[in-house]
């Protein structure tokens, strides 16, 4: 069920500490992480979550660790596979806290897993800074779980900005009002589709086709068949990695090519471009980055060198940023006491310098500066809409599968 991994550098530090007769508590910070390594979301976590987490640990240890008061403390990483199963995510958090006695925990991967694990993180007193949860429940969650912080954005903002991109294209005479709207039937997809439907209709769009499908579904031919038959101007799918690839596969097979083709999570993955090549020029999706930003380019280079793969163009950097934030809070307090670090994070006056740029949290524990919509242009997934971030480029029409 479980797999434990200790970074090589941290293990070396442990051995040195033991040889010097020092206590591990004096020299290492034990960090726990549970996320999919198997199950439907393992592919996404393998791209977005695990490499970013391990890279931050590696770079932190290479730099000598975190400066905690008058000590340098390296990171020891303990990993578990939550199997894309909410109950396993909860059990893994409990085990990390009670058996492994980790000092801090990395937030899980995906909206659903974060929502499932939030009560146990709160009960155990661990700060929970998530870079992969997108939900409009953030105000309620922040009130219920004051230890929970959000970096990636809110559902309604993603839906609003997607609609605004369509409004701009319609105003330029590039598309009409007909939209096909589909979603994966989990917490993320259901919420995104519901809000998206309302925002689109408020802006005068007609939903001509609507469908949902279970998480893990690979045969999505009926969904694309139904959408194509409705002859939409735009196709919007609030999808997860497996279905993002499957929907695109079926759209190519059936030559379904509306002027807007939007799939959600994994559209920003380098593997998406590797799979479909030049055919995805003009495809839209969630997220994006300022691909010309020097900080992101340095992160991408380090990611490639360390993990042997490029980061995605959205939540990889957000996941990395959550650990930058936690590390800065630990150093600022000079403490690994969770209550002390949490109190620092809850102080709204603090701002954190991250790979994303400056991050600070409002009363909903929500960073209000993030990318919302991206598009593949000239082989790069570039941000075309954002809140509080610079570098967005203009949206382009999707001209069909080459």
């Amino acid at each position: 069920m479980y797999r434990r991994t200790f970074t090589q550098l941290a293990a070396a530090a442990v051995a040195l500490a033991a040889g010097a007769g020092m206590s591990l508590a004096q020299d290492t910070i034990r960090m726990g992480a549970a996320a999919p390594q198997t199950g439907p979301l393992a592919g996404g976590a393998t791209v977005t979550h695990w490499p970013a987490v391990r890279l931050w640990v590696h770079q932190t240890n290479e730099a000598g660790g975190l400066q905690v008061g008058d000590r340098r403390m390296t990171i020891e990483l303990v990993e578990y596979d939550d199997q894309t199963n909410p109950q396993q995510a909860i059990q893994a958090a409990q085990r990390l806290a009670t058996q492994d006695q980790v000092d801090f925990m990395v937030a899980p991967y995906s909206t659903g897993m974060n929502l499932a694990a939030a009560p146990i993180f709160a009960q155990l007193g661990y700060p929970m800074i998530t870079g992969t949860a997108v939900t409009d429940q953030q105000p309620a969650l922040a009130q219920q779980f004051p230890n929970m912080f959000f970096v990636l954005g809110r559902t309604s903002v993603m839906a609003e900005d997607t609609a605004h991109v369509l409004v701009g294209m319609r105003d330029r005479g590039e598309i009409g009002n007909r939209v096909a709207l589909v979603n994966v039937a989990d917490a993320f997809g259901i919420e995104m589709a519901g809000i998206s439907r309302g925002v689109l209709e408020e802006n005068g769009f007609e939903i001509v086709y609507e469908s949902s499908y279970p998480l893990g579904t690979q045969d999505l031919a009926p969904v694309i068949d139904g959408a194509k038959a409705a002859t939409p101007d735009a196709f919007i799918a609030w999808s997860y990695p497996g279905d993002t690839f499957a929907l695109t596969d079926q759209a190519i097979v059936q030559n379904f090519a509306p002027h807007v083709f939007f799939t959600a999570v994994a559209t920003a993955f380098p593997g998406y471009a590797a799979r479909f090549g030049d055919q995805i020029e003009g495809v839209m999706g969630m997220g994006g980055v300022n691909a010309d930003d020097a900080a992101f380019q340095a992160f991408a280079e380090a990611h490639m060198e360390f993990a042997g793969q490029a980061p995605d163009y959205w939540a990889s950097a957000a996941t990395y940023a959550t650990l930058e934030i936690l590390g800065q809070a630990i150093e600022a307090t000079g403490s690994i006491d969770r209550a002390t670090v949490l109190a620092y994070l809850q102080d709204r006056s603090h701002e954190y310098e991250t790979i994303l740029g400056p991050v600070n949290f409002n009363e909903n524990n929500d960073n209000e500066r993030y990318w919302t919509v991206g598009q593949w242009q000239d082989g790069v997934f570039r941000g075309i809409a954002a809140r509080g971030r610079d570098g967005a480029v203009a949206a382009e029409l999707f001209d069909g599968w080459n």
Side-chain angles (χ1 to χ4, degrees):
M1 179 185 301
Y2 297 109
R3 181 168 72 87
R4 300 179 64 194
T5 301
F6 303 91
T7 66
Q8 188 173 23
L9 285 169
V14 170
L16 287 171
M22 299 178 186
S23 164
L24 290 181
Q26 293 179 323
D27 300 303
T28 63
I29 300 171
R30 290 172 64 79
M31 188 82 69
Q37 295 173 344
T38 58
L41 295 183
T46 299
V47 174
T48 298
H49 183 87
W50 289 116
V53 171
R54 293 166 185 159
L55 175 61
W56 179 83
V57 172
H58 171 75
Q59 290 184 324
T60 300
N61 287 342
E62 283 245 301
L66 296 177
Q67 185 68 45
V68 185
D70 59 359
R71 295 175 292 164
R72 299 291 297 187
M73 302 184 72
T74 54
I75 309 298
E76 176 187 351
L77 182 64
V78 184
E79 297 180 6
Y80 288 140
D81 175 13
D82 69 18
Q83 304 171 26
T84 318
N85 183 311
Q87 188 57 41
Q88 293 295 340
I90 294 168
Q91 291 178 4
Q94 291 172 322
R95 181 166 179 160
L96 284 165
T98 59
Q99 295 188 31
D100 297 301
Q101 297 184 339
V102 297
D103 299 297
F104 297 96
M105 286 192 282
V106 182
Y109 173 78
S110 84
T111 301
M113 294 301 161
N114 274 279
L115 296 181
I120 194 66
F121 270 70
Q123 177 185 331
L124 297 170
Y126 283 82
M128 186 179 189
I129 312 171
T130 172
T132 58
V134 181
T135 176
D136 253 23
Q137 299 178 49
Q138 287 178 12
L141 288 166
Q143 184 174 9
Q144 185 177 4
F145 307 118
N147 64 309
M148 194 174 189
F149 302 85
F150 303 88
V151 170
L152 204 58
R154 288 180 288 114
T155 318
S156 59
V157 177
M158 301 287 178
E160 287 166 7
D161 282 11
T162 302
H164 293 158
V165 169
L166 268 60
V167 168
M169 299 177 78
R170 184 184 61 190
D171 289 349
R172 294 192 296 271
E174 296 172 344
I175 64 171
N177 289 320
R178 299 170 62 82
V179 178
L181 181 65
V182 306
N183 67 278
V184 59
D186 84 328
F188 161 81
I190 293 168
E191 184 178 13
M192 289 299 296
I195 295 174
S196 184
R197 183 188 312 109
V199 175
L200 287 165
E201 290 177 344
E202 287 172 8
N203 282 276
F205 289 96
E206 179 187 2
I207 309 300
V208 295
Y209 176 78
E210 193 166 4
S211 181
S212 66
Y213 50 86
L215 178 65
T217 300
Q218 287 299 300
D219 182 12
L220 292 169
V223 173
I224 293 297
D225 186 59
K228 182 178 181 180
T231 63
D233 299 291
F235 173 78
I236 297 177
W238 298 111
S239 54
Y240 266 148
D243 29 307
T244 290
F245 279 76
L247 288 165
T248 305
D249 268 327
Q250 283 300 319
I252 293 170
V253 167
Q254 298 192 36
N255 195 29
F256 172 52
H259 286 312
V260 174
F261 188 87
F262 175 106
T263 47
V265 182
T267 313
F269 286 7
Y272 187 78
R275 171 72 171 275
F276 299 111
D278 294 341
Q279 294 185 98
I280 61 170
E281 180 73 11
V283 169
M284 295 182 189
M286 291 183 74
V289 295
N290 180 353
D292 299 322
D293 178 66
F296 176 79
Q297 291 177 345
F299 167 70
E301 182 178 351
H303 194 286
M304 175 64 79
E305 181 178 351
F306 174 76
Q309 65 185 54
D312 72 30
Y313 288 98
W314 183 31
S316 288
T319 299
Y320 186 91
T322 66
L323 292 166
E324 289 183 301
I325 293 165
L326 179 60
Q328 289 172 34
I330 290 169
E331 291 192 321
T333 59
S335 174
I336 60 171
D337 176 73
R338 287 189 292 278
T340 300
V341 173
L342 179 57
Y344 184 89
L345 290 165
Q346 291 170 329
D347 185 336
R348 303 296 184 265
S349 67
H350 298 135
E351 186 170 80
Y352 308 89
E353 290 302 321
T354 77
I355 192 68
L356 301 173
V359 167
N360 63 287
F361 299 110
N362 62 19
E363 66 276 8
N364 297 325
N365 295 355
D366 171 22
N367 171 53
E368 294 184 309
R369 294 178 281 194
Y370 43 79
W371 293 92
T372 54
V373 188
Q375 184 177 45
W376 284 99
Q377 298 182 5
D378 299 322
V380 176
F381 192 76
R382 300 182 179 276
I384 59 174
R387 299 293 175 98
R389 297 291 182 206
D390 297 325
V393 300
E396 299 177 355
L397 278 176
F398 176 58
D399 288 333
W401 311 107
N402 300 324

